[in-house]
Amino acid sequence: MTPTAPTDNLPEEHTERVDLPVLGMHCAACANRIEKALGKAEGVTQSSVNFATTRATVHYDPHQTDLQALRAVVQKAGYNAIVPQPEETAGSTDSLDDAQNQAREAEYQTQKTRFIVALVLTVPVAFTAMGSHLIPPLQNILNGAWRAWFELALTTPVLFWAGCEFFTGAWTAARHRAADMNTLVAVGTLSAYLYSLTATVAPQFFHGAPGGHSEHGVMVYYEVAAIVVTLILMGRLLEARARAQTGGAIRALMGLQAKTARVERDGRETDIPIEEVRVGDVVLVRPGEKVPVDGEIIDGTSTVDESMLTGEALPVEKRPSDVVIGATLNKTGAFRMRASKVGRDTVLQQIVRLVQEAQGSKAPIQKLADRISGVFVPIVLCVAIATFVVWFIAAPTDNRLTMALLTFVSVLIIACPCALGLATPTAIMVGTGRGAQGGILIKGGEALETAHRLTAVVLDKTGTITRGQPEVTDIVNLGIDHPDPQSQILFWAASAERGSEHPLGEAIVRSARERGIEPAQAQSFQAVAGHGIEAQIEGRQVLIGNAKLLRDRGLTPDEEAAQKLAEQGKTPVFVVLDNNVVGIVAVADTVKNGAREAIAEMHRLGLEVAMLTGDNRRTAQAIAAQVGIDRVLAEVLPEGKADEVKKLQAEGKVVAMVGDGINDAPALAQADIGLAMGHGTDVAMDAADITLVRGDLNGVAKSIALSRATVTNIKQNLFFAFIYNVLGIPLAAGILYPFTGWLLSPIFASLAMALSSVSVVTNALRLRNFKV
């Protein structure tokens, strides 16, 4: 986001952030004017207005200003703002969104009524003006004395009632010494109307003008003013409907939330609105219901469909003390839970808020469009005036005023900069929304734009490439005589490790229990720091440890078997029973399913992939070989991870860092783009630019591909908007007339202008088909 310059150097901790839905914006110039007005307001440190979302994001000092004062600033600029209720700044934004949607719908219905009335009145005006060309037998009737007065009577309400917002908007802009789209439309249509009105009421002013469609022998252009207003109103309706579709992702996310919750209060079960649930409430969830808020199960068991969060199709079994997330679907059993997070603190509301903030942000590429739109309208006015003067001088005397007027109006109408203002924000809205639907949360337009330039990706090993939970992978029998030697080896190892808190020991105990083997209780237990464990179990001496521990005890470990396991990235643990080496238990942090395919997809995108880990180089290289990684950065201490990222950046690479732990946060912040796995810590996700909610490594490639697709879409939109004006303005100015005798009618100019905005939004909507 590129905010306006702060008016006060206030510490960030003293400011608050609020989103204000703004009503009445119709072009990028409107958004820029509101942004500047808010940026200059007392107590405001940052302001950003997004034309596509029609929201103003304001950071302000609550000791110097308040929401009503901010609303007054917007109103003074000629617009209106919806102010959230006090509870909405801390809780869910549902009612604010509802209020904005209601206001937008009311505004849309008003525009629709004005358009219908304008259309009904414009059709006969257009018929009387053009009917003599279309139906020659009607020429004498349509060119009668009554025609100009008839068109005047119908055009006046079209212009000043149906199109009144153009004139009020132009006047508001003029009062602020500015000009916008409304200025262009108002000046253009009013010029055609006043010319025609003068020709109707006082034709003597145009003595010597060529014969035309009135009994005075002076041509009138009421149909130009009426049709231009009607077509622009139609374009705004089409644009409003198309833009409404860009917010579909937010609505889809909000639709996941339950509307009510069954809560135990005063010994009774009561259904209450979701907004009234409080932290600590006991909530009952029955089969087939959505979990209303985040919390912990008190009693009962069930399976919960968490696909909206994790993407996993299979339901997850839930028992007492397990955490459940709001908006997930309870499938089989009933349970009671205690609410731990409500309102905007729930996972779903945090996701919605991140998406809203991203959609309200500005990408650096938008700076160009903002700068151009800020000076575009005054330049167009100058070009239109110059066009009028040139044609008034250069055109033949008998029709110079007509040609000057037509080209003047055409230039004004075709140059409206709506498409330019919509080019970037609509693509960001759709792109970030589509990402959220696929579990990719992009923090803002800047992250979205930077991600498309990435050349290297650094993956933290534990929890990113691997599961982050060691597992028993192999059990090697080295001499135990038993019908099921592997179970026996695992029994003795697990019994010795039963009291251990080491991750390897926990993995051995967990594996034994998963196989139905219950470890025995050790009579004595002693940890040998850094090497293993010695224990007395069922009267037998058990030693668990590495090769060095065995050599220290005068035993001979099978170095060859251990070496083979180590080369596969596994940690060999020897099992010794009564001074006899009976087996090896291999433990490894196994690679996640799909990791190899995900890394192959990164390679397909032209990215260099490196793995960053604190493990020894041999283990790290074994994991890298399994998944096809190019570069291994091993034996890196937590505090050195950020330095490794710096080294890659010093090589000229644009680096993404992917991690999930607290020790990854400095590296995530150092990288050009930080991606946090969604199952990671809050610290890691706060430091990241992109959060992969599903914790799926495939999300890395998808997020980068989505960024590239979105930036490509933005560039296409900007190209369409620029080329439209580059080609349209000279055509409207009559550049082809000396060669072809052809002039662009203001009617076609208005149609082209209306459709240009719709085409930009429609192009952005193609991102909804991106596969995430």
Side-chain angles (χ1 to χ4, degrees):
M1 182 182 298
T2 308
T4 54
T7 55
D8 299 290
N9 294 321
L10 297 169
E12 184 65 27
E13 59 269 19
H14 293 317
T15 64
E16 292 184 5
R17 177 187 183 277
V18 67
D19 288 332
L20 299 175
V22 179
L23 306 178
M25 285 198 298
H26 294 297
C27 66
C30 300
N32 290 337
R33 187 157 62 248
I34 298 169
E35 185 173 295
K36 289 178 182 178
L38 286 169
K40 295 176 182 177
E42 182 181 3
V44 173
T45 59
Q46 293 179 356
S47 68
S48 178
V49 179
N50 189 301
F51 176 38
T53 61
T54 62
R55 285 200 175 197
T57 300
V58 185
H59 295 259
Y60 67 99
D61 180 2
H63 300 296
Q64 295 188 35
T65 188
D66 56 27
L67 299 184
Q68 293 301 330
L70 296 176
R71 181 184 184 184
V73 172
V74 176
Q75 290 175 328
K76 187 176 179 181
Y79 307 88
N80 198 7
I82 300 174
V83 175
Q85 299 300 315
E87 63 272 13
E88 290 167 353
T89 59
S92 170
T93 60
D94 283 0
S95 54
L96 179 62
D97 292 332
D98 289 343
Q100 182 178 15
N101 290 335
Q102 290 173 9
R104 281 180 176 173
E105 185 61 28
E107 187 176 17
Y108 177 82
Q109 291 301 329
T110 299
Q111 284 192 344
K112 185 177 179 180
T113 300
R114 293 182 186 276
F115 167 68
I116 291 173
V117 171
L119 182 63
V120 169
L121 296 176
T122 297
V123 168
V125 173
F127 180 75
T128 57
M130 304 174 190
S132 60
H133 298 288
L134 300 174
I135 310 174
L138 296 179
Q139 184 171 354
N140 291 333
I141 298 174
L142 295 178
N143 286 342
W146 57 275
R147 192 192 70 109
W149 294 99
F150 175 76
E151 290 182 8
L152 172 62
L154 296 183
T155 301
T156 300
V158 171
L159 202 62
F160 299 109
W161 181 79
C164 64
E165 61 186 23
F166 301 126
F167 297 97
T168 56
W171 174 246
T172 300
R175 286 194 298 111
H176 290 85
R177 297 181 180 86
D180 58 15
M181 170 193 169
N182 293 312
T183 307
L184 300 180
V185 177
V187 172
T189 55
L190 191 61
S191 298
Y193 178 83
L194 291 178
Y195 172 89
S196 302
L197 177 63
T198 306
T200 302
V201 177
Q204 61 272 20
F205 285 114
F206 302 97
H207 180 69
H213 300 298
S214 75
E215 83 276 21
H216 307 296
V218 180
M219 187 173 290
V220 293
Y221 295 103
Y222 292 115
E223 79 280 5
V224 169
I227 294 175
V228 165
V229 168
T230 303
L231 287 175
I232 294 176
L233 289 175
M234 179 192 72
R236 285 191 174 180
L237 286 177
L238 293 174
E239 179 189 313
R241 275 299 178 228
R243 284 167 61 186
Q245 297 178 50
T246 63
I250 290 287
R251 290 192 297 274
L253 288 170
M254 296 302 299
L256 296 173
Q257 183 169 298
K259 304 302 179 187
T260 61
R262 173 159 290 199
V263 178
E264 287 185 1
R265 285 184 178 172
D266 302 324
R268 297 185 346 184
E269 296 179 7
T270 308
D271 287 326
I272 63 173
I274 192 73
E275 296 81 10
E276 296 180 12
V277 179
R278 298 289 177 261
V279 173
D281 278 345
V282 175
V283 182
L284 284 77
V285 185
R286 293 167 292 193
E289 293 181 341
K290 288 182 178 180
V291 178
V293 295
D294 299 358
E296 184 178 299
I297 294 179
I298 301 172
D299 57 62
T301 59
S302 183
T303 56
V304 176
D305 180 358
E306 296 183 335
S307 58
M308 56 77 65
L309 186 68
T310 64
E312 292 291 337
L314 294 176
V316 180
E317 188 173 344
K318 295 291 183 179
R319 291 187 170 90
S321 77
D322 284 346
V323 173
V324 287
I325 303 299
T328 55
L329 181 63
N330 183 32
K331 301 289 285 187
T332 54
F335 58 84
R336 294 164 69 241
M337 58 174 283
R338 178 166 283 107
S340 59
K341 292 182 179 179
V342 301
R344 72 183 285 144
D345 294 328
T346 64
V347 170
L348 179 64
Q349 283 291 335
Q350 289 180 48
I351 291 174
V352 169
R353 190 165 66 252
L354 279 172
V355 176
Q356 287 177 330
E357 289 175 0
Q359 292 185 342
S361 67
K362 290 185 179 181
I365 198 171
Q366 192 173 342
K367 293 178 183 178
L368 175 63
D370 285 346
R371 285 198 297 268
I372 291 174
S373 63
V375 299
F376 188 75
V377 174
I379 291 174
V380 169
L381 285 170
C382 293
V383 171
I385 293 170
T387 300
F388 182 92
V389 172
V390 168
W391 281 112
F392 192 80
I393 295 172
T397 306
D398 59 347
N399 67 344
R400 64 184 183 184
L401 184 57
T402 297
M403 292 186 67
L405 177 68
L406 287 177
T407 52
F408 173 76
V409 175
S410 294
V411 169
L412 290 176
I413 299 302
I414 204 168
C416 290
C418 291
L420 192 61
L422 289 168
T424 299
T426 48
I428 289 177
M429 278 186 70
V430 181
T432 54
R434 187 70 187 112
Q437 290 176 317
I440 301 168
L441 300 182
I442 302 169
K443 280 191 175 179
E446 186 170 354
L448 190 71
E449 186 176 336
T450 303
H452 95 283
R453 297 187 290 105
L454 292 171
T455 59
V457 176
V458 178
L459 305 174
D460 179 59
K461 180 181 80 70
T462 305
T464 302
I465 298 173
T466 62
R467 298 180 184 278
Q469 186 177 49
E471 296 178 359
V472 172
T473 58
D474 301 85
I475 300 175
V476 181
N477 181 18
L478 297 179
I480 197 167
D481 184 15
H482 191 274
D484 186 1
Q486 290 188 341
S487 294
Q488 275 295 294
I489 293 170
L490 189 59
F491 167 77
W492 294 114
S495 298
E497 295 282 8
R498 184 173 177 176
S500 172
E501 295 181 354
H502 193 280
L504 297 183
E506 291 178 348
I508 292 172
V509 173
R510 184 172 59 252
S511 178
R513 286 175 172 158
E514 287 173 353
R515 301 184 190 201
I517 301 171
E518 184 58 35
Q521 183 70 46
Q523 283 80 48
S524 64
F525 175 90
Q526 182 179 354
V528 182
H531 298 295
I533 289 171
E534 191 172 9
Q536 185 82 16
I537 302 168
E538 295 183 352
R540 306 190 70 172
Q541 193 72 21
V542 180
L543 186 68
I544 307 292
N546 56 25
K548 184 178 186 306
L549 177 62
L550 269 63
R551 287 193 294 269
D552 290 346
R553 297 300 173 92
L555 302 172
T556 304
D558 188 333
E559 300 276 11
E560 184 178 350
Q563 178 69 19
K564 287 181 180 179
L565 293 170
E567 288 173 353
Q568 299 171 31
K570 301 170 183 177
T571 301
V573 178
F574 287 95
V575 180
V576 179
L577 187 63
D578 294 331
N579 287 326
N580 294 313
V581 182
V582 297
I584 300 175
V585 176
V587 181
D589 185 3
T590 57
V591 171
K592 288 182 177 181
N593 292 334
R596 185 175 185 85
E597 292 76 12
I599 291 167
E601 181 63 18
M602 294 180 212
H603 284 142
R604 193 188 68 78
L605 293 173
L607 300 165
E608 178 185 347
V609 184
M611 183 176 73
L612 185 62
T613 179
D615 285 353
N616 66 72
R617 182 163 296 279
R618 187 171 59 184
T619 300
Q621 288 176 335
I623 296 293
Q626 288 182 45
V627 295
I629 281 178
D630 309 310
R631 186 169 179 175
V632 176
L633 307 172
E635 301 174 3
V636 179
L637 296 175
E639 58 269 24
K641 289 186 176 182
D643 291 334
E644 293 296 331
V645 172
K646 283 183 185 178
K647 290 177 184 176
L648 290 172
Q649 291 171 326
E651 295 175 12
K653 294 179 173 63
V654 183
V655 181
M657 171 69 195
V658 186
D660 71 337
I662 290 175
N663 59 13
D664 296 326
L668 289 170
Q670 172 62 40
D672 297 282
I673 288 292
L675 294 95
M677 308 301 276
H679 57 258
T681 64
D682 290 340
V683 174
M685 287 188 277
D686 285 344
D689 302 291
I690 299 174
T691 299
L692 305 176
V693 176
R694 296 175 179 175
D696 182 0
L697 200 56
N698 284 305
V700 177
K702 288 179 179 178
S703 62
I704 295 170
L706 175 62
S707 166
R708 292 181 179 180
T710 304
V711 172
T712 297
N713 192 279
I714 290 172
K715 291 178 178 177
Q716 290 170 348
N717 286 347
L718 288 172
F719 174 79
F720 292 153
F722 280 124
I723 202 70
Y724 162 80
N725 282 299
V726 168
L727 296 178
I729 292 176
L731 288 176
I735 194 171
L736 295 180
Y737 184 81
F739 311 103
T740 65
W742 180 79
L743 282 178
L744 180 67
S745 166
I747 294 170
F748 289 109
S750 62
L751 181 61
M753 186 276 291
L755 294 180
S756 67
S757 297
V758 177
S759 66
V760 164
V761 178
T762 303
N763 186 53
L765 288 173
R766 291 191 304 111
L767 289 169
R768 294 189 301 177
N769 300 321
F770 185 89
K771 293 182 180 180
V772 286

